[in-house]
Amino acid sequence: MKVLVLGGAGYIGSHTVKALCEENIDVVVADNLVTGHIEAVDSRAKFYKGDIRDINFLDDLFSKEKIDAVIHFAAYSLVGESVTDPLKYYDNNLCGTKVLLESMVKNNVDKIVFSSTAATYGEPENIPILESDRTEPTNPYGETKLSMEKMFKWTANAHGLRFVSLRYFNACGADESGKIGEAHNPETHLIPIILQVPNGQREFVSIFGNDYPTKDGTCIRDYIHVTDLAQAHILAVKYLMNGGNSDIFNLGNGVGFSVREVIETARKVTGHPIPVKDVERRAGDPAQLIASSEKAKKVLGWKPEHDSLEEIIASAWNWHKNHPNGYTH
Ligand code: UFG
């Protein structure tokens, strides 16, 4: 089996590439390296530098490599940036996916696993969130991901393609080797930001809002280890290879932690006091996001293994303390 990973040099992509290589699956990676890092790509994978909006690049790749299934991570993913520059998100995320599907149809590649997000739900109607719940994104990032899902659905109907969309909750942690991990610029995610304090790069963590209707007033999220996400992609590819129907799955641990609890756990892991400052709410943050992943467990046989927040933060710390500047040092 040969799998093409688009965006395989990014955070979740690079962990998935490594997991695929470890299962001796043939892996081809394509990435434009705008936000991805070539150092993150497993040396066992074959690498092509290129952009999914370039139909000639994709047609050429599909004609050179006999691809059985595609895993699609190639998208922009900063919520705040998507609000200030929505067209950048429509261009890369939506137009890119349109070109990709055009090339897949032309080249008879009919299976795709797609990186979606809890941001497709917007403000949740129920906790835990089910795949069948209302989807009303509150930012262009979530909106483009939801539109991508719909583009897959209609293209699948028309051209006999099958897709799996994986809606991740809060991806975090790093590979146990300590060689790959999260490296965004700018960094906006809570755990890497917290770890900048013990790393001497930041004096305190700003807590965005302390008056949410939650146990300690701070937002609650479902933190899911990137290695568990990587495994879900492999299971989804196998599901499609075995004839599975197109479907959408949530991926989370089903347990919520508040911002204060995450900081407290990071203090325990790093031994650093990690000072905090309570500041205003960040626009667009729902109070609580917790997944029901029962469907992924039942249909894909997914079983997240790293469900302890302490273990998740310890793995992230193992990466960040040795790579304070990501891949650039
Ligand atoms: N937070 C802080 N201080 C910080 C950074 C974050 O208090 O310096 C808080 C946020 O307000 C939020 C929580 O920590 O309550 C987690 O924030 P992240 O930015 O780490 O993650 P989000 O929950 O905002 O985002 C995640 C994914 C997105 C996805 C979104 C769905 O990373 O891709 O969930 O809402 F779109």
Side-chain angles (χ1 to χ4, degrees):
M1 170 164 71
K2 196 184 265 189
V3 176
L4 170 64
V5 183
L6 300 169
Y11 173 42
I12 306 169
S14 60
H15 286 77
T16 303
V17 168
K18 182 176 182 236
L20 287 160
C21 291
E22 244 130 63
E23 292 216 8
N24 293 319
I25 295 170
D26 268 349
V27 188
V28 177
V29 172
D31 199 298
N32 64 7
L33 298 179
V34 170
T35 56
H37 309 274
I38 187 68
E39 302 88 335
V41 180
D42 195 295
S43 57
R44 290 167 285 186
K46 191 164 176 185
F47 182 78
Y48 287 85
K49 183 170 184 242
D51 196 295
I52 61 163
R53 287 163 290 191
D54 179 351
I55 187 99
N56 295 326
F57 168 69
L58 289 177
D59 283 347
D60 187 49
L61 199 161
F62 283 125
S63 70
K64 280 193 187 130
E65 309 281 350
K66 173 94 198 62
I67 300 295
D68 295 295
V70 174
I71 307 182
H72 178 23
F73 294 100
Y76 290 137
S77 62
L78 295 175
V79 171
E81 184 187 58
S82 80
V83 175
T84 52
D85 197 356
L87 296 179
K88 178 174 173 180
Y89 280 68
Y90 277 86
D91 177 42
N92 192 33
N93 299 5
L94 266 178
C95 299
T97 300
K98 180 245 167 200
V99 175
L100 167 65
L101 285 171
E102 211 174 301
S103 183
M104 284 178 66
V105 169
K106 203 196 302 178
N107 291 282
N108 300 312
V109 180
D110 62 357
K111 290 176 275 307
I112 182 160
V113 174
F114 163 64
S115 153
S116 189
T117 166
T120 51
Y121 295 107
E123 194 64 49
E125 57 177 337
N126 299 304
I127 296 290
I129 303 173
L130 292 169
E131 291 83 353
S132 51
D133 284 354
R134 177 188 62 203
T135 46
E136 224 171 83
T138 51
N139 54 63
Y141 166 65
E143 193 76 70
T144 56
K145 288 275 175 167
L146 185 60
S147 304
M148 285 155 86
E149 287 187 352
K150 290 184 178 166
M151 207 192 296
F152 286 118
K153 184 181 99 175
W154 295 115
T155 310
N157 276 355
H159 299 287
L161 201 127
R162 284 175 297 124
F163 72 94
V164 164
S165 175
L166 300 174
R167 292 179 177 163
Y168 326 141
F169 281 63
N170 288 60
C172 53
D175 185 62
E176 60 180 9
S177 67
K179 291 191 175 135
I180 52 175
E182 195 165 359
H184 296 116
N185 187 17
E187 189 51 78
T188 60
H189 294 115
L190 180 64
I191 293 175
I193 282 182
I194 293 172
L195 295 175
Q196 286 175 352
V197 180
N199 246 350
Q201 296 161 306
R202 177 185 291 271
E203 284 182 10
F204 59 87
V205 177
S206 299
I207 296 182
F208 299 147
N210 59 11
D211 56 353
Y212 285 96
T214 59
K215 52 189 165 187
D216 62 17
T218 66
C219 288
I220 290 181
R221 293 289 181 272
D222 183 338
Y223 293 89
I224 178 76
H225 199 289
V226 65
T227 302
D228 285 326
L229 292 180
Q231 285 306 322
H233 291 80
I234 297 182
L235 291 168
V237 167
K238 289 182 177 166
Y239 164 84
L240 289 175
M241 293 297 290
N242 291 331
N245 290 327
S246 296
D247 215 336
I248 297 175
F249 300 95
N250 285 341
L251 298 178
N253 272 313
V255 181
F257 292 100
S258 72
V259 173
R260 286 198 205 286
E261 285 172 332
V262 176
I263 295 168
E264 196 46 50
T265 308
R267 289 181 179 132
K268 218 195 290 173
V269 168
T270 61
H272 190 284
I274 312 183
V276 298
K277 257 189 202 160
D278 287 306
V279 301
E280 288 298 293
R281 289 183 177 197
R282 186 173 68 178
D285 274 342
Q288 225 188 132
L289 290 172
I290 300 174
S292 163
S293 304
E294 293 313 307
K295 188 173 162 191
K297 289 178 185 163
K298 200 165 143 230
V299 179
L300 301 178
W302 185 57
K303 199 172 160 290
E305 283 175 358
H306 308 277
D307 58 354
S308 129
L309 185 61
E310 202 166 321
E311 186 192 341
I312 288 175
I313 296 180
S315 75
W317 180 226
N318 183 37
W319 156 256
H320 287 290
K321 75 173 177 236
N322 295 312
H323 302 84
N325 302 310
Y327 291 96
T328 55
H329 87 136

